């Protein structure tokens, strides 16, 4: 099983990350992120499963502990995929400013984002 995004952090860092966002719930079928749109938010999945779709084709499923939407913020680019809720979701919502602030203030958060980018998109 894949590691959780949270596995890279201490309990204190997890609390700090969670406090930087807002806990929200989304219904099944909802698409909080659309391909080729500006990067204005990211989410950490607490409960539920999402489909990651590129040009309408599913390329991955992500679940509890995964972060979505971070790559376009970090890379200052448009979204590379859409996210569709396969189940009801419990998420932590982060604005783009919150992601950038955490990345600047917490070297461990920045390193975790870089590691996910390498894993998902290969070397740049």
């Amino acid at each position: 099983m894949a590691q959780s995004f949270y596995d890279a952090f201490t309990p204190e860092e997890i609390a700090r990350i969670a406090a930087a966002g807002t806990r929200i719930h989304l219904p099944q079928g909802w698409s909080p992120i659309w391909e080729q749109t500006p990067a204005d938010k990211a989410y950490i999945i607490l409960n539920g499963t999402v489909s990651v779709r590129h040009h309408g084709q599913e390329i991955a499923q992500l679940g509890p502990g995964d972060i979505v939407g971070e790559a376009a913020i970090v890379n200052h680019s448009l979204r590379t995929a859409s996210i569709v809720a396969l189940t009801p979701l419990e998420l932590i919502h982060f604005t783009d400013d919150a992601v950038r602030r955490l990345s600047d203030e917490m070297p461990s958060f920045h390193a975790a984002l870089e590691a996910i980018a390498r894993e998902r998109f290969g070397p740049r």
Side-chain angles (χ1 to χ4, degrees):
M1 181 166 160
Q3 282 194 311
S4 165
F5 178 70
Y6 277 140
D7 289 346
F9 306 107
T10 66
E12 293 79 16
E13 288 173 324
I14 291 170
R16 184 172 174 188
I17 292 165
T22 304
R23 188 173 278 212
I24 64 168
H25 293 85
L26 296 178
Q28 181 176 342
W30 192 267
S31 294
I33 291 175
W34 284 89
E35 192 171 357
Q36 297 301 310
T37 61
D40 60 350
K41 59 188 165 278
Y43 301 95
I44 294 177
I45 302 168
L46 299 176
N47 287 300
T49 304
V50 300
S51 172
V52 181
R53 298 178 183 173
H54 182 68
H55 299 304
Q57 297 295 313
E58 183 173 284
I59 57 172
Q61 287 189 10
L62 299 174
D66 287 318
I67 188 168
V68 295
E70 80 298 334
I73 293 172
V74 171
N75 295 325
H76 306 286
S77 65
L78 293 177
R79 302 285 185 196
T80 57
S82 297
I83 305 297
V84 179
L86 297 177
T87 66
L89 299 174
E90 183 179 1
L91 308 163
I92 298 177
H93 168 268
F94 297 93
T95 64
D96 55 340
D97 287 341
V99 172
R100 287 190 187 101
R101 192 169 46 255
L102 283 169
S103 189
D104 289 345
E105 295 173 1
M106 290 180 63
S108 57
F109 186 82
H110 181 78
L113 292 181
E114 292 286 322
I116 286 174
R118 280 193 306 276
E119 179 182 308
R120 291 183 182 167
F121 304 106
R124 298 216 170 249

